[in-house]
Amino acid sequence: MAQESPKNSAAEIPVTSNGEVDDVHEHGFNRDLKRSLPSGLGLSETQITSHGFDSTKEEVMEAGAYQGSPEPPLPSVMSPSRVAASRLAQQGSDLIVPAGGQRTQTKSGPVILADEIKNPAMEKLELVRKWSLNTYKCTRQIISEKLGRGSRTVDLELEAQIDILRDNKKKYENILRLAQTLSTQLFQMVHTQRQLGDAFADLSLKSLELHEEFGYNADTQKLLAKNGETLLGAINFFIASVNTLVNKTIEDTLMTVKQYESARIEYDAYRTDLEELNLGPRDANTLPKIEQSQHLFQAHKEKYDKMRSDVSIKLKFLEENKVKVLHNQLVLFHNAIAAYFAGNQKQLEQTLKQFHIKLKTPGVDAPSWLEEQ
C-alpha cells in the first residue's frame, strides 16, 4: 500500500514493514555520505548537511513487507536528487586551494577569485600619477640647470655637431629666403619684358617710319623674356630642392634631436633622484625606494643611450645627403645664371636638360586628367 507524505529532497528514506525507519539503512546512508565528502569534513557536518535540505515538494514513499533472501540485508544505495547534489558540490567548492597545495575551509560566502579585475579608471589614474611625477622631476631638473645648481650630462662631440646643424639651418633658410626674393623679382621683370615686347610689336605695325626699330626691340624683349622664363625655372627648381632639404630633411633630424634632449633631461632627473637617495640613510623604509629608483634610472639610461645613437646615425646620413643635394643645386644655379647673363640661350637650355627640368609654357594651363589619359 502506498501513502503520500512529505519527502526529504535529498533521497527516499526506506521504511520497514511496520512503518518505522530502518536504522541499518540510516547508518549505511551516513557511511556512504561520509565517504563521498572531502576528508576535511567531519561526521557532524555531514549529518547537518543531510538533514538541512528543506523542500516544499511532495514525493511518494512506498511501504511494504520486507521480502528478501535469508542473507542479511545490504544497505540501500542512496540516490540524491539534483538539489542535494548541487548543495553538496557548493559546500565542496567553498574549499580554497592556495598555491602551497593545502586546503583551507572558508567560513561562508562566494568563491574568491585569484586574479583581481582591473578597473579602467584606476589604470588611467595611475597613468596620470606617473606622468605628473615624471613632469615634476623633469621640471625640477630644468630649473636646477638654469639656476646653475644641477648637473647635466654632456656629449661634447655630439653637442658640437648639433650646434653646427642648427647654425647651418639658419644660413640655409636665409639663402632660401633670398632665392625666393630673386625669383619673385625675376618673375616681375620677365612679365614686364613680355609686355614691353608686345607693345613694341604693336607699334612696329602702326608706325611705318619706325617699323624696323620697334621690331628689333620687340624681338629683343621677347628673347629676354624667354631666357628669363628659362632662368626662372632653374631658380624655382633650386628653391624647391633647398626647401626640401631645410624644412623636411633637416627638420626631421632636429625632431630626433629634441627627443634626445628630452631623454637626456629625464635621465639626469632620475640620476639626481637616485644620488639623493643614496646619500640618505639605508633602512627598511628606504631600501625599496632605492631599488625602485635604481630600476627607473636604468630604464631611462637605456632610452638615453638609444636616442643618442639614433641622433648620431641621422647626423651622419644627413651630412652625406646634404653634400650631394647642394652640390647638384649649386652647379645648376651657377650654370643657369652664367648662361643667362652671357646671353647664351643654348647653354641655358642645355643646363635645364642636364637636370631634367621641364618648363611650363606661359598661358597654357595644365592638362586635365581626362586629357592625360
Side-chain angles (χ1 to χ4, degrees):
M1 182 178 70
Q3 59 183 1
E4 297 181 356
S5 64
K7 181 193 172 189
N8 193 304
S9 63
E12 295 181 1
I13 303 176
V15 298
T16 58
S17 59
N18 56 3
E20 296 179 356
V21 179
D22 192 354
D23 294 335
V24 177
H25 297 299
E26 182 176 357
H27 291 305
F29 167 72
N30 292 333
R31 183 173 62 253
D32 294 338
L33 188 59
K34 183 177 179 181
R35 292 176 180 175
S36 64
L37 289 177
S39 59
L41 297 177
L43 182 58
S44 61
E45 297 173 355
T46 305
Q47 291 176 354
I48 290 173
T49 304
S50 63
H51 288 81
F53 298 144
D54 297 332
S55 176
T56 57
K57 298 181 180 179
E58 294 185 359
E59 301 280 343
V60 178
M61 180 173 61
E62 298 182 356
Y66 177 76
Q67 296 178 0
S69 62
E71 298 177 359
L74 297 176
S76 303
V77 178
M78 306 302 295
S79 301
S81 64
R82 294 182 178 178
V83 178
S86 63
R87 292 189 179 182
L88 289 175
Q90 201 171 24
Q91 285 188 355
S93 64
D94 289 341
L95 298 176
I96 300 176
V97 181
Q102 298 179 357
R103 291 187 176 183
T104 57
Q105 183 180 358
T106 57
K107 295 180 181 180
S108 63
V111 178
I112 301 175
L113 297 177
D115 297 334
E116 296 181 356
I117 301 176
K118 295 182 179 180
N119 191 355
M122 295 301 296
E123 291 182 355
K124 292 182 179 179
L125 186 62
E126 182 66 18
L127 291 176
V128 172
R129 187 188 70 83
K130 291 181 179 179
W131 175 82
S132 301
L133 184 61
N134 185 72
T135 304
Y136 164 73
K137 291 184 178 182
C138 294
T139 305
R140 184 183 62 177
Q141 177 66 26
I142 293 173
I143 295 175
S144 299
E145 291 178 2
K146 290 185 178 295
L147 295 178
R149 298 177 181 177
S151 60
R152 64 188 299 263
T153 304
V154 179
D155 189 336
L156 297 177
E157 182 180 359
L158 189 61
E159 292 290 338
Q161 294 178 2
I162 293 174
D163 292 339
I164 292 173
L165 175 63
R166 286 173 173 164
D167 185 60
N168 288 338
K169 183 175 183 292
K170 293 180 180 179
K171 294 178 179 179
Y172 295 154
E173 287 175 345
N174 184 40
I175 291 176
L176 183 62
R177 184 168 53 254
L178 293 175
Q180 289 173 345
T181 303
L182 177 62
S183 175
T184 303
Q185 294 174 351
L186 181 60
F187 174 79
Q188 293 176 354
M189 186 182 71
V190 169
H191 181 68
T192 303
Q193 287 175 343
R194 188 182 303 111
Q195 290 180 341
L196 188 59
D198 294 339
F200 283 149
D202 182 62
L203 288 173
S204 67
L205 297 176
K206 296 180 179 180
S207 301
L208 299 178
E209 299 84 0
L210 301 174
H211 172 72
E212 294 182 358
E213 289 78 0
F214 281 123
Y216 294 153
N217 282 277
D219 295 339
T220 302
Q221 294 299 324
K222 289 181 180 180
L223 180 60
L224 290 174
K226 182 179 179 182
N227 292 339
E229 292 173 357
T230 307
L231 177 62
L232 189 62
I235 293 177
N236 289 336
F237 185 77
F238 172 82
I239 292 174
S241 300
V242 175
N243 181 66
T244 302
L245 175 66
V246 173
N247 294 324
K248 291 186 178 180
T249 309
I250 296 180
E251 187 65 27
D252 178 69
T253 305
L254 289 178
M255 287 296 295
T256 307
V257 170
K258 291 180 181 179
Q259 295 175 1
Y260 158 74
E261 292 176 346
S262 299
R264 197 273 307 165
I265 293 174
E266 291 179 355
Y267 165 71
D268 285 338
Y270 283 91
R271 176 182 56 81
T272 304
D273 192 20
L274 179 61
E275 291 176 355
E276 292 177 355
L277 290 175
N278 288 329
L279 293 176
R282 291 178 175 267
D283 51 18
N285 294 328
T286 58
L287 284 178
K289 295 181 180 179
I290 293 176
E291 292 179 358
Q292 183 181 7
S293 180
Q294 179 68 32
H295 176 71
L296 293 174
F297 166 74
Q298 189 65 30
H300 285 85
K301 183 177 183 300
E302 293 176 358
K303 180 181 178 182
Y304 167 72
D305 293 338
K306 180 180 179 300
M307 293 306 303
R308 181 173 58 182
S309 176
D310 292 347
V311 170
S312 299
I313 293 173
K314 281 201 170 185
L315 286 175
K316 180 180 178 181
F317 284 112
L318 174 63
E319 186 66 23
E320 296 176 358
N321 187 27
K322 181 189 70 174
V323 171
K324 181 179 179 180
V325 170
L326 288 181
H327 171 74
N328 294 332
Q329 297 305 317
L330 291 174
V331 170
L332 165 67
F333 191 82
H334 172 268
N335 293 343
I337 293 291
Y340 172 77
F341 285 100
N344 193 344
Q345 182 180 0
K346 293 183 179 180
Q347 181 64 31
L348 186 59
E349 294 177 352
Q350 184 65 29
T351 301
L352 268 64
K353 290 181 180 179
Q354 179 182 355
F355 291 94
H356 308 285
I357 301 174
K358 294 182 179 180
L359 296 178
K360 179 180 178 181
T361 305
V364 178
D365 297 333
S368 64
W369 62 275
L370 288 175
E371 294 176 348
E372 291 179 352
Q373 292 180 355

